[in-house]
Amino acid sequence: LRASGGADCMFDYLVSACWADVVAAGEGTEGQVFDSLTGCTFKVYSTIQAALTDAATNFSGSNMAVILICPGLYTENVTQTSTCFVIGAGQGQDTTTASDTGGDAGVIVAPATDADTWTFSTNSNGSTLKNIIARSSSATAPAKACVLIDTPNEITLIDVVVKPGGSGQDGFRISTDNNLLVNCRSHDAGTGFRFGSGAQENLLVSPWCATNTIGLRLAGGHTQITDPHLDACTTGINCDGSASKAT
């Protein structure tokens, strides 16, 4: 970075946990701007939230920010309030390494407080999240989710792995419409994928659940599920209420 570099115009933000050490040593600043080889610029932050907050201020409408996250452990609760394409470097989808500290395990997000780990909130419609492992808060924190799609629609999740830690927690909790989840996985306790009563017309492609209390819990409208994998779940699929319809 000090010599100028980076992939030309491929991302607007680079997030690296080790950048905090550079800042602490007085050799850089959070949000420092670097030039790529052809003159495009990108900002560097040590936390995911800082990059998302800056993107919410400086990108709007169809001008979507692209955020690349370096492998590592990020201990923070993330709330996304703008449309972004966020991709984790590294494999990021191996559930067997999700308790590690990053590196070969890819990008791991673990909550700093007993709250939802990654929340898609207002104004994040149309966002994409790819190659991330999201762990839950402590097993004693009830009703929390690793990934919460609360108010926006049309969110795309690709190769996202979640690890809910307690029986009352959710891996993916989705309350909205027209979301796409591709090759997403839930491992450990709790509910793997929960679709609330207001969720409509969602598509799951190759969802994978292992050792969850409930693999797929459906309470909304039409949910299309293709090629599900349910491994050692206490209950594979649970349809709550007459409004539920899965194909």
Side-chain angles (χ1 to χ4, degrees):
L1 287 176
R2 293 186 184 89
S4 294
D8 289 345
C9 304
M10 290 182 64
F11 50 82
D12 303 291
Y13 296 89
L14 180 66
V15 179
S16 176
C18 63
W19 187 247
D21 296 331
V22 177
V23 174
E27 299 179 359
T29 59
E30 293 288 351
Q32 186 168 335
V33 178
F34 288 89
D35 295 323
S36 68
L37 296 175
T38 58
C40 296
T41 61
F42 60 94
K43 293 182 178 180
V44 181
Y45 285 98
S46 63
T47 68
I48 300 167
Q49 187 61 64
L52 287 169
T53 299
D54 191 87
T57 301
N58 293 292
F59 290 79
S60 61
S62 60
N63 190 17
M64 182 189 299
V66 178
I67 300 174
L68 176 65
I69 308 174
C70 296
L73 174 64
Y74 297 84
T75 304
E76 52 182 307
N77 299 80
V78 175
T79 299
Q80 187 169 334
T81 58
S82 65
T83 302
C84 298
F85 189 103
V86 182
I87 182 169
Q91 293 301 309
Q93 65 266 30
D94 185 357
T95 56
T96 63
T97 58
S99 61
D100 294 341
T101 57
D104 292 339
V107 175
I108 299 174
V109 183
T113 63
D114 284 339
D116 302 307
T117 306
W118 192 299
T119 301
F120 289 91
S121 191
T122 306
N123 298 324
S124 61
N125 296 45
S127 292
T128 296
L129 180 63
K130 187 176 189 297
N131 265 12
I132 300 290
I133 296 172
R135 301 203 318 238
S136 71
S137 54
S138 67
T140 58
K144 303 303 178 184
C146 299
V147 175
L148 172 64
I149 303 178
D150 187 26
T151 53
N153 299 312
E154 300 179 356
I155 301 297
T156 298
L157 306 179
I158 304 171
D159 292 329
V160 175
V161 174
V162 295
K163 289 178 69 73
S167 59
Q169 297 179 355
D170 299 328
F172 300 92
R173 184 185 301 158
I174 299 171
S175 304
T176 59
D177 308 335
N178 300 309
N179 302 291
L180 171 64
L181 284 70
V182 179
N183 196 33
C184 292
R185 304 183 178 194
S186 180
H187 187 275
D188 283 351
T191 298
F193 298 76
R194 181 191 295 268
F195 290 85
S197 59
Q200 304 285 330
E201 303 298 332
N202 291 286
L203 174 61
L204 279 73
V205 179
S206 298
W208 188 83
C209 304
T211 66
N212 293 118
T213 306
I214 299 175
L216 302 169
R217 189 161 194 165
L218 312 173
H222 181 230
T223 302
Q224 183 174 344
I225 306 169
T226 302
D227 192 26
H229 302 270
L230 304 171
D231 183 11
C233 296
T234 305
T235 300
I237 300 177
N238 185 319
C239 291
D240 295 336
S242 59
S244 299
K245 179 182 178 183
T247 58

